[in-house]
């Protein structure tokens, strides 16, 4: 098995999730050769796959032992081979990957009457009500460390966190608090946390989400030119 960095570093933004996984506790390199790399990302365990050839995609697909799985796969054109081996998933989500190409911390601008601080389990129900996901999953994200923006009355105006595989996400700002710079402020603080951990800040933007694309550009993220695709099998 070869060092995966030589393959992955040829396109930083396209492979930022996989490069970050190499730095994360619990990650496992499943396959690493000249024709592709496959990593199991952290303790949470979705697969990240990058194949240079259709034959490489076939080899790596056969290494997914679970019947039910999640994966971030590239390139898009080899997905039919993965589906041929593993069956068609219940959902696919094409995204552009955004990655921060520097180790220089972002300026954290203060917003009048807004305080950013860690969320606690007191905000669990609030986050679930404003972000469409499983309660147990949101609980795990708060435990890992989510940030909330609070107004002068203690009301939560928005929040951000990290998904289980390491991507920055869950960013939500309530409508009445938008256009105040809260989203940028939350993302800057989240990004700086990742840098302080010696990790690579990255995130996924669903194809067509222009609003999120604009925010990532403002914060200085670099976008992959090619699509990465989330695969969700039958859970």
């Amino acid at each position: 098995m070869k060092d995966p960095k030589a393959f992955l570093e040829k396109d930083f933004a396209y492979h930022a999730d996989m490069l970050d996984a190499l730095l994360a506790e619990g990650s496992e390199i499943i396959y690493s050769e000249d024709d592709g790399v496959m990593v199991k990302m952290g303790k949470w365990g979705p697969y990240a796959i990058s194949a240079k050839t259709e034959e490489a995609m076939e080899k790596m697909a056969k290494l997914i032992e679970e019947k039910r799985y999640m994966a971030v796969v590239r390139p898009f054109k080899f997905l039919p081979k993965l589906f041929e081996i593993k069956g068609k998933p219940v959902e696919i989500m094409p995204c552009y990957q955004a990655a921060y190409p520097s180790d220089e911390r972002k300026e954290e601008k203060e917003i009048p009457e807004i305080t950013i601080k860690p969320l606690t389990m007191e905000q669990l129900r609030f986050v679930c009500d404003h972000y469409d996901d499983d309660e147990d999953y949101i609980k795990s994200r708060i435990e890992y460390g989510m940030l909330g923006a609070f107004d002068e009355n203690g009301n939560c105006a928005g929040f951000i966190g990290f998904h289980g595989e390491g991507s920055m996400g869950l960013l939500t700002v309530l409508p009445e608090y938008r256009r105040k710079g809260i989203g940028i402020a939350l993302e800057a603080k989240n990004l700086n946390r990742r840098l302080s951990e010696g990790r690579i800040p990255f995130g996924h933007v669903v194809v067509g989400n222009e609003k999120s694309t604009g925010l990532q550009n403002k914060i200085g993220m670099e976008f992959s030119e090619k699509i990465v695709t989330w695969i969700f099998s039958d859970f």
Side-chain angles (χ1 to χ4, degrees):
M1 189 176 291
K2 298 187 176 181
D3 183 353
K5 288 184 180 180
F7 182 95
L8 299 176
E9 288 178 344
K10 291 177 182 178
D11 193 334
F12 170 74
Y14 194 45
H15 293 128
D17 57 337
M18 301 179 77
L19 288 163
D20 180 67
L22 301 180
L23 303 171
E25 182 181 354
S27 294
E28 180 183 0
I29 302 168
I30 307 296
Y31 181 93
S32 181
E33 300 296 343
D34 291 335
D35 60 355
V37 173
M38 176 177 174
V39 179
K40 200 166 187 180
M41 302 170 70
K43 295 178 180 180
W44 187 51
Y47 293 95
I49 298 172
S50 183
K52 193 173 182 179
T53 66
E54 190 176 54
E55 292 73 21
M57 181 66 77
E58 180 176 0
K59 286 187 284 186
M60 289 186 277
K62 290 178 178 178
L63 294 174
I64 300 176
E65 298 178 352
E66 301 91 339
K67 182 178 179 180
R68 299 175 176 179
Y69 69 97
M70 285 182 284
V72 192
V73 184
R74 69 221 79 184
F76 189 85
K77 66 180 179 180
F78 294 151
L79 289 182
K81 178 56 67 176
L82 174 66
F83 300 161
E84 177 186 319
I85 304 299
K86 295 296 296 180
K88 192 172 181 179
V90 296
E91 183 183 353
I92 68 170
M93 186 172 69
C95 300
Y96 288 105
Q97 186 155 255
Y100 190 61
S102 172
D103 58 2
E104 188 173 319
R105 290 173 60 89
K106 298 297 295 186
E107 180 184 0
E108 297 181 11
K109 294 183 179 179
E110 294 187 4
I111 301 174
E113 301 178 343
I114 292 291
T115 301
I116 296 177
K117 61 183 180 180
L119 295 183
T120 70
M121 286 303 161
E122 291 182 4
Q123 286 86 42
L124 174 61
R125 188 69 263 154
F126 176 84
V127 176
C128 290
D129 287 344
H130 292 90
Y131 192 88
D132 184 20
D133 217 318
D134 178 76
E135 182 173 312
D136 288 339
Y137 180 68
I138 297 298
K139 182 179 179 181
S140 74
R141 298 304 84 213
I142 293 175
E143 289 173 342
Y144 182 77
M146 288 184 66
L147 294 171
F150 295 84
D151 68 16
E152 68 274 20
N153 296 314
N155 300 311
C156 190
F159 50 82
I160 196 170
F162 293 95
H163 286 292
E165 90 290 356
S167 65
M168 299 194 301
L170 300 106
L171 177 60
T172 300
V173 178
L174 273 60
E176 60 268 33
Y177 293 98
R178 291 173 187 169
R179 302 186 182 279
K180 298 178 182 292
I182 292 174
I184 286 284
L186 285 167
E187 181 134 347
K189 193 170 283 289
N190 219 36
L191 186 154
N192 286 339
R193 172 188 167 180
R194 213 26 140 210
L195 290 177
S196 70
E197 296 167 341
R199 300 275 297 276
I200 299 170
F202 74 94
H204 295 120
V205 177
V206 176
V207 173
N209 189 340
E210 298 300 328
K211 187 174 182 179
S212 183
T213 299
L215 177 63
Q216 303 310 318
N217 281 324
K218 284 181 181 179
I219 203 74
M221 301 288 267
E222 176 183 309
F223 276 88
S224 61
E225 294 182 1
K226 296 171 285 187
I227 288 170
V228 303
T229 304
W230 269 97
I231 303 296
F232 302 90
S233 73
D234 185 7
F235 274 78

